[in-house]
Amino acid sequence: MSAVDARLAELGLTLPEVVPPLAAYQPAVLSGAYVYTAGQLPMVDGQLPVTGKVGAEVTAEEAKDLARTCALNALAAVKSVVGDLDRIARVVKVTGFVASASDFTGQPGVLNGASELLGEVLGDRGVHARSAVGVAVLPLDAPVEVEIQVELLP
């Protein structure tokens, strides 16, 4: 068992199956020493547990939990192309999109769910740059979408 897999188990987390693409793209692409994931929705067993806008139908706390799920799905996508998450040198960048009610301004707090999960699982290797963007709507009416870029060990 890899160190990252052991850490996931210690946290009581299971890496899910890779979420199949909703359109014409790959869940993750390896390019040189980097893996770029597609935007990951908070799918659980092929379903969105919640839909709607954050600040309206979805609370910020619910959305933060959904961002954690997105990050876990992103790690699964990375593993699908590299085979072993111990190959991650560091998470370089996280970009998160929050389907927001017109007056909702807490996007950074929502995306902390993804950032904290990556830190819990990867330690210092999970520290990253990040963008948190409010948007009008996301695919399938998802409240949150997260993509990550990771650098691999040589």
Side-chain angles (χ1 to χ4, degrees):
M1 178 182 290
S2 76
V4 174
D5 289 334
R7 180 65 181 146
L8 286 164
E10 184 179 308
L11 293 168
L13 299 171
T14 303
L15 206 61
E17 293 294 319
V18 177
V19 176
L22 299 174
Y25 62 89
Q26 294 297 311
V29 173
L30 173 63
S31 179
Y34 294 90
V35 177
Y36 301 85
T37 71
Q40 300 293 310
L41 300 179
M43 303 290 262
V44 177
D45 297 325
Q47 301 292 320
L48 284 174
V50 179
T51 59
K53 306 290 181 284
V54 182
E57 301 88 359
V58 181
T59 69
E61 199 57 39
E62 287 173 314
K64 183 178 178 182
D65 288 340
L66 294 169
R68 283 180 67 85
T69 301
C70 292
L72 200 58
N73 288 339
L75 287 174
V78 170
K79 187 173 183 177
S80 75
V81 296
V82 301
D84 183 355
L85 293 177
D86 284 350
R87 292 190 56 201
I88 295 175
R90 74 169 307 145
V91 177
V92 177
K93 177 83 186 268
V94 172
T95 305
F97 304 94
V98 180
S100 302
S102 62
D103 60 346
F104 182 74
T105 60
Q107 292 84 5
V110 168
L111 268 294
N112 280 347
S115 295
E116 291 167 3
L117 181 278
L118 293 168
E120 290 169 21
V121 172
L122 298 168
D124 290 342
R125 296 181 296 154
V127 177
H128 52 267
R130 186 182 82 190
S131 297
V133 181
V135 298
V137 68
L138 289 168
L140 305 178
D141 200 24
V144 182
E145 180 174 346
V146 173
E147 63 183 44
I148 68 173
Q149 300 167 10
V150 302
E151 180 181 10
L152 302 175
L153 294 167

